[in-house]
Amino acid sequence: MEKKVVYRIATIADYDREALYLRKMHAEGWKLKEVTYSNLVVAVKYTFEKCQPEQVSYQLDFYPMKKSERASYLQLFKDCGWEHITNFNGFSYFRKVHSEIESDAEFEIYNDAAGKLAMVKQILTRRMFPILLLFLALLPVFSKFVTGGSSFSWEMFLIVITDGVLLIVFAIQISYILWRLFQKWKELSDK
């Protein structure tokens, strides 16, 4: 079996773009097998295996749950014709061949605004809120390093510069994710 590994930058706010990418790959003859963390800090590792090119709908569902709930959750999707592929970062990955889709409503797991809105709300509360709190907790630590001492040392200077750069990158990433999720929230609330 031929396989292909692709590294892509993806955030939890890009789940819809990720589904479109996976759909495109399947149409080119590469079906998703696994999604994992990569050695690269910012990238996600996608493992594909060679298949016949076909039109397949991919969907991601963010639904962290207890292990005891997993079997009934997966059975619900199986009963609706969705094949479970893998889990990654709180998301479950599903696919459904277009030839098995009988109506436009079946192209998506959540075909109503309320279901999509509930998923975005879960992402915000279960993922973004703790990350935002961690970021806010790191700011005073960084501030203490900056104002800490009057004596200069290269080690402290490098630590402060490295922490400062990481905080800026972290702030940009958090801002992007929050902006994307709030855009989705607003779009779904208007429906």
Side-chain angles (χ1 to χ4, degrees):
M1 175 120 353
E2 196 176 339
K3 82 176 194 179
K4 178 180 193 175
V5 175
V6 177
Y7 296 91
R8 285 178 43 102
I9 295 174
T11 70
I12 58 175
D14 295 323
Y15 63 88
D16 52 349
R17 290 181 186 170
E18 193 174 356
L20 290 173
Y21 169 73
L22 298 173
R23 180 180 182 177
K24 177 182 164 270
M25 289 296 288
H26 204 115
E28 294 173 1
W30 294 100
K31 71 178 179 178
L32 180 66
K33 182 178 178 181
E34 186 179 39
V35 182
T36 57
Y37 291 104
S38 71
N39 294 337
L40 307 170
V41 176
V42 295
V44 176
K45 179 182 175 184
Y46 297 89
T47 304
F48 297 92
E49 55 186 32
K50 192 76 171 147
C51 68
Q52 287 289 60
E54 61 183 333
Q55 293 300 313
V56 175
S57 186
Y58 279 83
Q59 291 288 289
L60 284 69
D61 184 32
F62 184 81
Y63 190 73
M65 69 193 82
K66 298 174 187 167
K67 285 187 179 188
S68 61
E69 299 172 335
R70 175 128 324 268
S72 61
Y73 168 79
L74 294 177
Q75 187 61 48
L76 173 70
F77 285 98
K78 186 176 183 179
D79 292 345
C80 294
W82 289 95
E83 174 192 358
H84 178 255
I85 307 159
T86 190
N87 298 309
F88 174 71
N89 204 18
F91 282 92
S92 294
Y93 288 70
F94 297 94
R95 72 175 151 235
K96 189 182 219 183
V97 179
H98 283 196
S99 61
E100 297 174 8
I101 296 175
E102 297 174 7
S103 69
D104 287 346
E106 292 183 27
F107 278 100
E108 296 182 71
I109 289 174
Y110 297 109
N111 51 20
D112 64 327
K116 291 177 184 177
L117 197 55
M119 186 172 85
V120 170
K121 183 179 178 182
Q122 273 197 8
I123 294 171
L124 281 168
T125 56
R126 292 191 178 230
R127 290 288 180 180
M128 291 310 300
F129 188 66
I131 290 172
L132 195 56
L133 287 177
L134 176 64
F135 176 74
L136 293 174
L138 289 175
L139 283 177
V141 173
F142 177 71
S143 174
K144 185 177 179 184
F145 274 125
V146 172
T147 61
S150 58
S151 64
F152 177 82
S153 74
W154 281 105
E155 295 84 15
M156 187 55 72
F157 175 75
L158 291 174
I159 289 171
V160 168
I161 294 298
T162 303
D163 284 350
V165 169
L166 290 175
L167 279 173
I168 290 169
V169 169
F170 199 31
I172 291 169
Q173 184 180 23
I174 289 172
S175 299
Y176 169 76
I177 292 170
L178 286 173
W179 175 71
R180 289 276 295 141
L181 288 172
F182 281 118
Q183 271 187 324
K184 289 177 197 276
W185 182 280
K186 185 175 186 287
E187 174 188 317
L188 294 169
S189 296
D190 291 343
K191 287 185 178 183

